[in-house]
Amino acid sequence: MVGESVTALADFLCGYPLFILLIGGGFYLFLRSGMVSLRLLPAAFRELRGKQSRESGRQISSVQALTSVVAATVGMGNIAGVAIALVMGGPGAIFWMWVSALVGMSTKFHEGVLTTRYKTAGPDGRTSGGTMYIIDRALGPRWHWMALTFAVAGMLGTLCIMNANQLTEAVVSTFTTPEWLENSPAIGSLASALGWGHEAAFRLMVGIAIALIVSSVVVGGIRRIAGVASWLVPFMVGLYFLLVLYIIITHSAEVPAAFRSIFAEAFNLRAGWGALAGIAIIGARRAALVNDAGVGTATIMHGASANSEPAREGLIAMLGPAIDSGLVCTLTALALLLCGDLQAVEGIKGLDVAMKAFAAIPAGEYLLMGIVLCFSLSSMFSYSFYGNRCAAYLFGERRARFYTWLFILTLVVFAVMPLGVAIGFCDLFYALMAFPTMITLLLLGGKVREEIRKFTGRPALSH
């Protein structure tokens, strides 16, 4: 009964209310900021190349914060989600995903500006930021309940319930067969000792392997997480680019037609509904798993940056959606438009469509699976930090380290257990993070415009 109630509440909040808040609220921020994600995009790239954005001292740099955020957001939604949008709306849906990426960039800019403006410093000089600190320091005690709501939801919602389960499922389906599972002596011994089936025993082994990999990174704290993300993100996005480049080269004659179809079908009815479905299903219900714009996780990571200039941090932060919702989603779209059989699909089978498209590359399914592994693991690294910061806000720094070990343990648990009602809880917690964050961004939009005026009133930058 409780499970059904949670699922029903999550279904409601993550439907039109969340869609209107994230997309409608984000579009309002885009307009009120003077279309900042377009107007200051060249400045954002200059900041990315600038020395100041790469200096960190004992903390992480702005660029490391960006790669850590992208590590969390680039995932299955960038592959399966794009496939669903194409199946339901045709090529024109991709154009509207680009538009939504611009909106998300503006939202992320606001998050980066406000978390830098209102972050706090600990006894060791390291800073902490996040929606909860923005609420406490900018909105005052009357809104403290909203800060607590975000922190509790952030602590629980960033447990990688879906990631651990789906990654394990993908490993099982890609690299094993029922015969191999039955005939493996090691799996058979473990299954007999536990009284489990062979597949459940293998899932436990995968879960332990995931937990060991993740623990080797996250117990080192934000410096190690950011250090790994700073090379892992370019590697996995670069490898994905090379796979798609192979498809583009081998289907070069069809590339112009693919781009024409995106623009030609962007404004017909089918593309419009497909874009709505692609954003509402992937962007509204799973927007938190695509680019996190408006959910508040970016405020936590960018709040840990050594940068103390709000507008500069906002410019770096807004490049996140450009990478995950812009670049990576476009790469997926090109691969599917050139090699995917989008007409012969029955129902919504996003990952199946992507796997078949990448089969055009020698060993493409296995290479894509390797990229999915990187995507999923990198998400786990950053999400552990998000939850840890929320736990530190609620219980203090000393107790927060216990959360990290709980996070690692849940990777094993949810690799083996069926998801069931856990999906509803996961969605509900993400909604409870998004509502306080977006309300805060909307209330403090004037502070962001103030920082924009300070930044644009400066003389030309020299790096």
Side-chain angles (χ1 to χ4, degrees):
M1 189 66 180
V2 174
E4 292 177 359
S5 300
V6 168
T7 301
L9 180 59
D11 287 341
F12 170 73
L13 289 178
C14 295
Y16 286 113
L18 190 59
F19 172 78
I20 293 169
L21 187 67
L22 290 177
I23 304 302
F27 188 64
Y28 174 81
L29 294 174
F30 173 73
L31 294 177
R32 288 289 290 157
S33 64
M35 299 184 288
V36 65
S37 53
L38 283 175
R39 185 163 54 93
L40 294 183
L41 186 58
F45 284 113
R46 288 198 299 272
E47 288 297 329
L48 188 64
R49 296 193 305 269
K51 181 181 178 182
Q52 182 174 341
S53 298
R54 298 178 181 275
E55 294 176 341
S56 60
R58 296 180 60 209
Q59 298 175 244
I60 64 172
S61 67
S62 298
V63 173
Q64 286 179 318
L66 172 65
T67 56
S68 299
V69 169
V70 173
T73 57
V74 174
M76 293 295 292
N78 300 86
I79 299 174
V82 173
I84 292 170
L86 281 170
V87 169
M88 298 187 70
I94 302 305
F95 174 85
W96 295 108
M97 292 189 78
W98 292 340
V99 173
S100 68
L102 277 176
V103 171
M105 289 170 67
S106 176
T107 303
K108 278 284 181 79
F109 176 83
H110 283 70
E111 292 182 70
V113 168
L114 292 174
T115 194
T116 304
R117 179 168 172 146
Y118 295 109
K119 62 185 178 182
T120 63
D124 60 356
R126 296 183 183 181
T127 59
S128 295
T131 298
M132 55 281 198
Y133 293 106
I134 300 172
I135 293 171
D136 282 343
R137 303 194 70 188
L139 298 180
R142 190 174 56 164
W143 297 86
H144 181 63
W145 65 271
M146 205 161 64
L148 290 175
T149 300
F150 175 87
V152 172
M155 183 178 65
L156 299 175
T158 53
L159 293 173
C160 289
I161 297 170
M162 293 287 291
N163 274 26
N165 190 275
Q166 290 184 336
L167 177 57
T168 304
E169 187 66 42
V171 170
V172 171
S173 61
T174 304
F175 297 110
T176 72
T177 63
E179 294 77 16
W180 182 83
L181 289 173
E182 289 295 329
N183 296 326
S184 170
I187 295 173
S189 299
L190 181 60
S192 298
L194 297 173
W196 293 2
H198 284 66
E199 182 179 325
F202 181 72
R203 292 174 72 95
L204 176 63
M205 294 170 68
V206 173
I208 292 172
I210 292 171
L212 289 173
I213 294 170
V214 172
S215 63
S216 69
V217 175
V218 303
V219 295
I222 184 57
R223 294 275 296 184
R224 188 180 299 175
I225 293 170
V228 171
S230 64
W231 65 261
L232 182 59
V233 168
F235 168 76
M236 65 186 187
V237 174
L239 178 59
Y240 194 52
F241 175 80
L242 291 176
L243 293 185
V244 177
L245 183 62
Y246 177 90
I247 292 176
I248 291 173
I249 292 172
T250 55
H251 297 76
S252 57
E254 302 166 43
V255 173
F259 276 104
R260 279 197 303 271
S261 67
I262 291 174
F263 291 98
E265 297 191 28
F267 299 98
N268 65 31
L269 182 61
R270 180 167 174 261
W273 284 112
L276 180 61
I279 296 171
I281 295 171
I282 305 305
R285 187 168 178 86
R286 299 290 176 202
L289 304 178
V290 176
N291 63 33
D292 277 7
V295 176
T297 51
T299 65
I300 298 173
M301 190 64 74
H302 284 283
S305 165
N307 183 17
S308 59
E309 298 187 57
R312 290 181 183 275
E313 194 68 31
L315 290 173
I316 297 294
M318 82 176 189
L319 292 175
I323 297 171
D324 50 45
S325 296
L327 175 61
V328 178
C329 286
T330 301
L331 292 175
T332 303
L334 284 174
L336 297 178
L337 288 172
L338 294 173
C339 293
D341 187 4
L342 302 175
Q343 303 301 321
V345 177
E346 295 183 4
I348 301 175
K349 301 177 181 178
L351 190 57
D352 289 347
V353 174
M355 284 291 188
K356 290 174 183 176
F358 279 85
I361 305 171
E365 289 176 294
Y366 295 103
L367 289 171
L368 182 62
M369 187 62 230
I371 291 172
V372 169
L373 282 168
C374 289
F375 284 178
S376 297
L377 289 171
S378 66
S379 297
M380 294 175 189
F381 300 155
S382 294
Y383 276 107
S384 71
F385 178 72
Y386 297 152
N388 176 278
R389 292 298 83 201
C390 290
Y393 174 83
L394 292 169
F395 305 114
E397 290 289 346
R398 292 184 61 184
R399 294 187 180 93
R401 68 177 182 270
F402 295 113
Y403 171 88
T404 300
W405 292 109
L406 173 65
F407 179 92
I408 293 167
L409 176 63
T410 61
L411 298 178
V412 180
V413 173
F414 287 106
V416 178
M417 290 179 61
L419 290 178
V421 73
I423 298 176
F425 276 105
C426 190
D427 289 339
L428 178 60
F429 290 138
Y430 259 79
L432 293 177
M433 293 170 69
F435 280 94
T437 299
M438 284 302 298
I439 291 170
T440 301
L441 299 184
L442 292 168
L443 290 174
L444 297 175
K447 302 296 184 182
V448 175
R449 293 191 292 277
E450 179 183 312
E451 295 294 342
I452 293 174
R453 286 192 294 272
K454 287 181 185 178
F455 180 80
T456 55
R458 293 175 176 174
L461 297 174
S462 59
H463 291 297

